[in-house]
Amino acid sequence: MQAKTLALLASLAAASAAHAAPSTTAGQTTFQNNCASCHSVDANLSSRAGPGLFGVVGRKAAGVPGFNYSAALVKAGAAGKTWTREELDVFLADPAKNVPGTTMPVGVPDKQARAALVAYLASLQGAVTAAAAAKPATAAERQGSWDDNQPGRIHHIKVTDMPPPFATSSAGNGPRVEARPNGSMPVVPQGFAVSVFAVDADKPRVALRAPNGDVFLAATAKGEIKVARAKNGQAADKVDVFATGLSRPYGIAFWPSGANPQYLYVANVNSVVRIPYRNGDLKARGAAEVIVPELSDTSGGHTTRTLAFSKDGKTMLLSIGSATNVATEIGPQPPEPIAQWEARHGVGASWGVETDRATVMAFDVDGKNRRTYATGLRNCVGMLVYPGTGDVMCTVNERDALGDNLPPDYLTRVKQGGFYGWPWYYIGDNEDPRLKGQRPDLKGKSIVPDVLIQSHSAPLGMVVYQAPKGAKNAFPKEYEGDVFVALHGSWNRGVRTGYKVVRVFMNDGVPTGQYQDFMSGMVLSDRDVWGRPAAVEVAQDGALLVVDDAGGTVWRIAPQR
């Protein structure tokens, strides 16, 4: 009897300890859902957009050799900052607050999830091997890279141009963001001039013009929506806070369209809210109303959510990026027969942590009547409805780790009910070798995108160029109806590419397949950059605004008069 009692007490003590201690399994899940798209945990310290995290506990800040850390983190490391469990907990709660100037965009605010993540990272200890130093790139490897950027240069990438998978090794080549050198300005075509429209230390990521010309900005990491007003049209007098207390806000849209919207809709990382608005408001006139309380069961991985409304104003469209790079962990079969699963979630819809991810979803404007609009879009960051045709269009960040030049990112019209390949196929019927043979039933169903963009360019925000009525700084007529796209820039390429704004040519609302460099000049070297275009918008006077979320600058490009 005594032995049974002691055994019971020991069991209860073990259960209590297990309950009290953060689970490394739970931490691994938190890592996969929040960190794995940017960080590896390989013992060879291989890096992605962020440094490898194997052995991070006990390591000096900015301590992975060869990684392009931000100047802020290098300074912290030089001052003696070391990643103890306690330091990681504080940093992950709010990276920008703990290390002002860090390029890590978001943290893990939930205390329990953060504790589990730190416990998991602390378990990754052992011998490490620094990644081999990169060899100098050959002339062929430099093709399509930043030193090829030149305003006016036209690109036309075709499906037949794609190399086979793993033609080159997969690079971990995140940029080191430097301060803008004194006097440096972006480079634009002859006949245009660049100036500073606004500067904001919170580094907004998205811009939206209100009917009266105010420019709304989503300060994602800060959890705020801001508004810039320019009385003279050329430079903002100041940037005000319009709304606070949001959760990684990204997509913003006014509804209804036209001169007198009633709401500003905001896509948080895992919900949609709308804020009462009247044209000219500089402060939210009421509390945010939650209209979609949850977007998916997981919110890690790609965290940008983009909003748009259908041409008739009756449908709210929302893009939700994938949780992982290529869904290798979800298994070959959904939790129910494929036909039954696809009847509810759409053709080619993923499951597990990817349920309702890598999609464009549709809702009524009150957030109800949820349904799948399109699937297989790994990360549709830029989304709009093209005027005139009403076509939904996406810019998509394609998958990583297949090589320097595979697969291309893209811009495409998105068909209702369409499947665009992810994760099993890319750019049509090209099967991802990491998932070979899993979904032969989808062969022939993956739609080829309209415009292929240099691989790993990371296209984000886009805008159709339409000069507002009476615009004093309208672009030449040949720009009307074309689409400007912000290319945020590569990390998964040996020689970086992107870091520019391009013009996508349209013909009667249909992409021609070609695009043209429009704004560049923000890369200093193979390692260093000083700007990263994240969004574009057309100002009330017809100028093009470019949001640079590395420098916290909104640039203004206008024809020279």
Side-chain angles (χ1 to χ4, degrees), residues 10 25 44 55 76 119 123 142 147 232 258 260 273 287 298 307 356 359 369 399 411 414 420 430 441 449 491 551:
T25 301
N44 66 2
S123 73
R142 297 198 72 86
D147 42 6
N232 65 4
N260 296 296
V273 301
T298 57
L307 280 170
D356 290 340
T359 60
N369 190 22
R399 66 206 73 193
L411 176 150
V414 177
Y420 289 82
N430 296 282
D441 58 302
W491 68 265

Side-chain angles (χ1 to χ4, degrees), residues 2 101 113 195 207 281 286 391 418 503 527 547 552:
Q2 186 177 15
S195 60
D281 285 352
D391 287 337
R503 170 194 179 190
R527 181 182 65 175
V547 178

Side-chain angles (χ1 to χ4, degrees), residues 31-54 64-69 103 120 131 170-176 301-302 323-329 378 400-401 434 489-494 496 499 532:
F31 175 84
Q32 290 294 335
N33 289 345
N34 290 273
C35 315
S37 60
C38 290
H39 298 275
S40 72
V41 287
D42 301 324
N44 66 2
L45 291 185
S46 62
S47 63
R48 297 182 181 175
L53 296 182
F54 187 90
V64 174
F67 184 76
N68 297 333
Y69 287 100
T103 53
Y120 169 66
S170 181
N173 184 27
R176 188 170 79 174
H302 296 113
T324 63
N325 178 39
V326 67
T328 51
E329 305 299 321
R378 178 176 176 265
D400 300 316
R434 295 164 293 190
S490 65
W491 68 265
N492 191 218
R493 195 173 191 273
R496 66 186 73 267
Y499 305 90
R532 305 191 72 179

Side-chain angles (χ1 to χ4, degrees), residues 73-92:
L73 207 55
V74 170
K75 182 179 178 180
K81 189 179 187 71
T82 299
W83 295 124
T84 63
R85 285 175 179 251
E86 294 75 19
E87 282 284 346
L88 278 171
D89 183 68
V90 173
F91 178 74
L92 290 169

Side-chain angles (χ1 to χ4, degrees), residues 86 90 96 163 184 277 354 365 485 528 553:
E86 294 75 19
V90 173
S184 294
Y277 173 79
E354 299 293 355
V365 296
V485 180
D528 301 322
T553 303

Side-chain angles (χ1 to χ4, degrees), residues 99-396:
V99 182
T102 180
T103 53
M104 183 161 167
V106 291
V108 182
D110 183 82
K111 185 175 181 179
Q112 185 175 355
R114 193 167 65 249
L117 175 60
V118 171
Y120 169 66
L121 294 176
S123 73
L124 303 173
Q125 298 292 324
V128 298
T129 305
K135 297 178 181 178
T138 65
E141 290 168 339
R142 297 198 72 86
Q143 288 184 355
S145 65
W146 66 272
D147 42 6
D148 272 347
N149 293 345
Q150 182 179 333
R153 176 165 289 173
I154 294 175
H155 308 264
H156 192 184
I157 300 173
K158 301 176 182 177
V159 174
T160 53
D161 295 333
M162 293 192 303
F166 312 119
T168 65
S169 59
S170 181
N173 184 27
R176 188 170 79 174
V177 177
E178 297 282 9
R180 178 166 65 101
N182 289 338
S184 294
M185 300 290 281
V187 181
V188 293
Q190 187 174 2
F192 291 88
V194 187
S195 60
V196 174
F197 177 80
V199 176
D200 187 80
D202 291 323
K203 300 180 180 179
R205 303 202 67 195
V206 177
L208 174 69
R209 188 186 83 233
N212 72 328
D214 289 342
V215 177
F216 281 71
L217 301 165
T220 303
K222 188 74 171 177
E224 295 179 345
I225 302 297
K226 299 191 172 186
V227 58
R229 176 170 290 177
K231 293 177 183 176
N232 65 4
Q234 297 182 7
D237 302 290
K238 62 177 181 176
V239 179
D240 292 306
V241 175
F242 176 79
T244 62
L246 301 164
S247 178
R248 303 186 204 177
Y250 191 82
I252 46 178
F254 290 110
W255 184 90
S257 62
N260 296 296
Q262 298 173 22
Y263 294 101
L264 176 68
Y265 280 66
V266 181
N268 288 320
V269 67
N270 205 20
S271 66
V272 177
V273 301
R274 62 184 182 185
I275 301 169
Y277 173 79
R278 298 296 179 270
N279 192 24
D281 285 352
L282 292 174
K283 297 288 183 184
R285 60 173 53 225
E289 174 194 0
V290 178
I291 61 167
V292 183
E294 184 178 82
L295 305 182
S296 65
D297 290 338
T298 57
S299 57
H302 296 113
T303 59
T304 53
R305 313 285 181 251
T306 309
L307 280 170
F309 288 97
S310 60
K311 187 179 177 182
D312 64 8
K314 295 180 179 180
T315 300
M316 179 180 72
L317 299 156
L318 181 78
S319 68
I320 306 176
S322 70
T324 63
N325 178 39
V326 67
T328 51
E329 305 299 321
I330 68 172
Q333 297 291 329
E336 57 192 53
I338 285 178
Q340 187 176 335
W341 180 262
E342 291 189 337
R344 293 198 296 119
H345 296 275
V347 173
S350 304
W351 49 86
V353 297
E354 299 293 355
T355 300
D356 290 340
R357 305 291 298 262
T359 60
V360 172
M361 305 297 291
F363 304 78
D364 292 348
V365 296
D366 60 2
K368 296 180 172 57
N369 190 22
R370 176 182 181 137
R371 62 268 191 203
T372 303
Y373 188 89
T375 58
L377 298 149
R378 178 176 176 265
N379 193 20
C380 164
V381 189
M383 183 174 63
L384 56 78
V385 173
Y386 194 85
T389 66
D391 287 337
V392 178
M393 297 178 68
C394 278
T395 55
V396 174

